[in-house]
Structures are given as C-alpha cells and as structure tokens.
Amino acid sequence: MTNIILLGPPGAGKGTQARRLVEERGMVHLSTGDMLREARTSGTEMGRKVAEVMDRGDLVTDEIVIGLIEEKLAGENARGFIFDGFPRTLAQADALGALLKRSGNRLDAVIEMRVDDEALVERISGRFTCGQCGEVYHDKTRPTKAEGVCDECGSTDLRRRADDNAESLKTRLMEYYKKTSPLIGYYYHAGDLFTVDGLAEIDQVAKAIANVLDQAKSS
Ligand code: ADP
Ligand code: ADP
Ligand code: ZN
C-alpha cells in the first residue's frame, strides 16, 4: 500500500495526475477541494460559509478539512491514498501524520510539482471540468475531442470554477506561498520529499511520478 501527497500551487496539475493514478494503480483520490465543493452544495450554514471563503481564494479552517479527511480515512480500505490539496498547512500536516499512524499506515512519498506562476495563470484561466465524471480539461493544452462533450463520459455538463479568476488566483497563490510552501521544508526534513517538473507535458509528468513511486516502494 502506497500513500502519497501531491503538493503544489493551484493549477500545478495535481488533480490531473491523481485521476491517472486512480485509473492506472487503483489508488483512492482524496481531494479536499472536491470534498469542499460538495459541501458547499449541501445548503447548510457550513456550506454557505465554505463557499464564501473558497470564492475569495482563502483557506478553509484546519478544523473543517481535517474533519473531512478523518471521515474519509475511517470509511475507506484502500490500496493507497493520493492526498491532493491536503495538507495545506503545518497543522494539517501534523494531523495527517497522526491519523495515518493511528491506522498503522505511513506516508511513502510527498511529490512536489514545481510550476512557475506565469504558467499557473495560463493553466487556471483555461481550466474546465466535467460536472459528471470530474475529468479535467484545458482550452489549449487538453481540449475535449468534440467541442462541448466530455471524452470520458459523453456528458455536455462542462463547467468552470467560480474561483478560477485572476483576483482569486492572486489570493490563492499568496496563501500557497505563505502557508503551504513551508511543507516542502517539513517533508524534506522528514526524508519524504521528491520533486518533479510540473511544466513538462502531462504524460511526462506522469512518468516522473511513476518513477518516484517505484523508488519509494523499494526504499
Ligand atoms: P486547486 O486545485 O486550484 O489547488 P483545490 O480544489 O484544491 O484548488 O481547492 C479549492 C479551494 O478549496 C482552496 O482555494 C481553498 O479555499 C479550499 N481548500 C481546499 N483544500 C484545502 C485545505 N487542505 N485547507 C484549506 N482550504 C482548502
Ligand atoms: P491542480 O489540481 O493542481 O489545481 P489541475 O490538474 O486541475 O491542477 O490542472 C490545472 C489545469 O492545467 C487544467 O486545465 C489541466 O488540464 C491543465 N494541465 C494539467 N497538467 C498539465 C500539464 N502538464 N501541461 C499542460 N497543462 C496541464
Ligand atoms: Zn465526463
């Protein structure tokens, strides 16, 4: 069983690579962003607050996201988890370590996907996803084969995220550098950090991640 974290700024390609790993290796994808987007449609007071915070580009409280992850870990008996967009703070990283330990598991690799800010603006402004199956597309780098139709499931329900705009991205990037990038040092110190070039083509990034997984398994 292999547990990994995909670490990188918004638009680095975490979701894209996580979906491939699910398909190719049967791992379970845990995205706190996806969980929070689901929570915001629940019509509860909590959902309304979460929506406001997300649209601004700020981080949701540690308490809420740790609670979501704890629930998922308790309910799944997986062949390995991919943590995508979690942890985003040192408190979340500590909490994840404790949760894994409690269930007799450990972290095998933290994969930092390195991409520069200029590319992120391009990535985020062209991103759209399938509302039915979650497949991730891009206007230029990964368009659908038929205009307006999902390649994977045939749905025409293609959506753009409310927070994928220039203003919110600015806040999200600042939050990343202030609160999340210290995790790179944290996991480097723990000996768990691997870095891949997130600017490479999607297939090349997938290969680099596969290499890391093979390395982590044999260590
Ligand atoms: P991206 O794929 O662009 O990095 P995500 O889908 O991971 O974005 O997250 C979208 C938003 O959800 C974040 O901007 C933040 O408001 C909230 N969020 C997601 N994960 C976390 C987390 N671990 N801690 C706090 N807030 C989170
Ligand atoms: P994250 O989950 O890290 O926020 P996504 O996987 O949603 O990132 O990718 C952001 C956007 O960039 C999407 O539109 C996706 O299709 C595109 N993308 C992802 N990886 C690459 C890549 N290696 N090269 C070019 N575009 C990419
Ligand atoms: Zn689809």
Side-chain angles (χ1 to χ4, degrees):
M1 163 149 166
T2 312
N3 297 309
I4 64 166
I5 294 174
L6 295 180
L7 184 64
K14 304 181 295 292
T16 299
Q17 296 298 330
R19 292 179 63 81
R20 288 185 63 138
L21 290 168
V22 169
E23 212 166 283
E24 288 163 14
R25 298 187 184 236
M27 296 170 78
V28 169
H29 180 197
L30 297 183
S31 156
T32 41
D34 287 348
M35 293 173 206
L36 290 166
R37 275 184 287 281
E38 206 176 295
R40 57 185 284 173
T41 62
S42 65
T44 60
E45 176 65 13
M46 192 268 249
R48 200 185 54 73
K49 275 197 190 134
V50 161
E52 227 174 80
V53 173
M54 287 176 86
D55 288 349
R56 272 203 316 266
D58 287 328
L59 291 188
V60 173
T61 63
D62 288 336
E63 198 188 349
I64 290 179
V65 290
I66 291 168
L68 287 170
I69 286 286
E70 193 170 5
E71 234 171 77
K72 291 280 175 182
L73 286 181
E76 293 268 12
N77 206 340
R79 282 180 51 193
F81 292 104
I82 308 156
F83 297 96
D84 162 11
F86 179 90
R88 263 177 156 93
T89 64
L90 291 167
Q92 292 177 22
D94 281 337
L96 177 61
L99 283 172
L100 287 174
K101 201 167 167 192
R102 205 197 294 165
S103 57
N105 287 303
R106 67 184 188 107
L107 207 52
D108 296 281
V110 177
I111 304 176
E112 181 206 353
M113 302 178 66
R114 203 172 282 174
V115 178
D116 58 51
D117 286 5
E118 212 173 307
L120 295 177
V121 176
E122 286 276 313
R123 295 256 182 110
I124 292 288
S125 57
R127 168 161 65 185
F128 62 98
T129 55
C130 173
Q132 290 309 306
C133 73
E135 190 63 17
V136 186
Y137 295 97
H138 189 280
D139 293 327
K140 290 189 189 131
T141 61
R142 182 160 164 35
T144 52
K145 290 194 183 97
E147 168 121 26
V149 184
C150 176
D151 295 356
E152 297 296 317
C153 75
S155 167
T156 53
D157 176 15
L158 300 174
R159 307 175 180 179
R160 286 180 203 270
R161 274 166 50 178
D163 58 343
D164 277 351
N165 60 74
E167 175 136 1
S168 163
L169 178 61
K170 219 189 272 172
T171 309
R172 282 153 69 199
L173 280 176
M174 193 49 81
E175 289 287 272
Y176 178 78
Y177 291 116
K178 271 201 306 216
K179 297 177 183 162
T180 308
S181 68
L183 299 185
I184 295 168
Y186 177 101
Y187 287 119
Y188 173 76
H189 180 73
D192 295 330
L193 189 74
F194 298 82
T195 300
V196 302
D197 176 13
L199 285 170
E201 280 179 18
I202 294 176
D203 285 345
Q204 294 304 314
V205 179
K207 266 189 206 147
I209 291 175
N211 283 341
V212 169
L213 290 182
D214 294 341
Q215 230 176 298
K217 226 182 283 167
S218 61
S219 70

